[in-house]
Amino acid sequence: MEYFIGLTFDPGSIHTKKIESFRKRFDSKFEKMNRLQLTVLPPFTIDFAKKEDEASWLLDLTELLEGHLYGLESVSQIEFNGITFSMGKKGVVALTPIISFDLHHCQESLYFFLKESGVKFSKNKNAGTPLLPIGRSDCAEDLFSAIETAKIEFS
């Protein structure tokens, strides 16, 4: 089974509305996945012999995550300090978040729990660098337009 761990944003916040407006114009996956998500840990796979093992593992993971996030104000107030992009099969424009010490500790704890559980992270993904994808395109010209617009709107 494939999973990933991410944070969603309050859809009513001004920050979210600004990002959503950008995504509607520049993200080819917006219609398929319109929920704004910041990946805390990239996609990973894990196999279980029995459904009960999966249910128990999910419960442990949920308790660990909730234990870190309970009462944590900094999660709802994430700020971004830059724009990055990558070129490949599909070009991606992303915002780079400022990760609080508490959220970083949560990320590390989850990472070690997952590694101990035997998960396999997707290749070419950096588990320690969360990004918020705001634009995707197969066309280099569209990607460059998205990058230039992002520099104006998010600087």
Side-chain angles (χ1 to χ4, degrees):
M1 179 74 89
E2 186 170 64
Y3 300 90
F4 91 98
I5 298 174
L7 300 174
T8 57
F9 292 81
D10 175 8
S13 76
I14 293 173
H15 208 55
T16 301
K17 289 178 182 180
K18 181 178 178 180
I19 294 169
E20 291 297 323
S21 171
F22 185 90
R23 288 186 63 226
K24 285 178 186 175
R25 292 175 283 151
F26 294 104
D27 192 349
S28 61
K29 287 188 176 181
F30 181 78
E31 293 301 320
K32 188 169 88 172
M33 183 57 192
N34 62 6
R35 177 177 288 154
L36 186 60
Q37 297 176 333
L38 173 67
T39 300
V40 174
L41 289 170
F44 57 89
T45 58
I46 185 167
D47 296 317
F48 298 97
K50 297 183 257 179
K51 270 293 202 194
E52 298 83 31
D53 295 339
E54 181 179 17
S56 175
W57 178 83
L58 280 172
L59 181 61
D60 291 343
L61 177 62
T62 301
E63 288 175 356
L64 177 63
L65 182 57
E66 288 176 350
H68 280 286
L69 298 181
Y70 182 76
L72 194 60
E73 294 288 322
S74 61
V75 173
S76 64
Q77 300 166 358
I78 291 177
E79 295 294 324
F80 298 92
N81 66 350
I83 301 164
T84 188
F85 66 93
S86 64
M87 307 279 280
K89 288 182 183 179
K90 185 171 286 254
V92 176
V93 179
L95 297 177
T96 53
I98 299 170
I99 301 298
S100 70
F101 174 79
D102 291 330
L103 187 55
H104 181 72
H105 177 68
C106 172
Q107 184 184 31
E108 284 182 336
S109 180
L110 291 167
Y111 177 79
F112 288 117
F113 171 81
L114 295 174
K115 289 304 271 185
E116 286 176 2
S117 299
V119 308
K120 294 179 184 164
F121 286 97
S122 299
K123 294 180 181 177
N124 299 324
K125 301 284 184 179
N126 186 343
T129 309
L131 297 172
L132 181 64
I134 59 171
R136 295 175 184 85
S137 179
D138 294 329
C139 173
E141 191 173 302
D142 291 344
L143 180 65
F144 291 128
S145 176
I147 293 167
E148 292 306 313
T149 304
K151 286 179 184 176
I152 294 166
E153 293 186 17
F154 296 103
S155 292

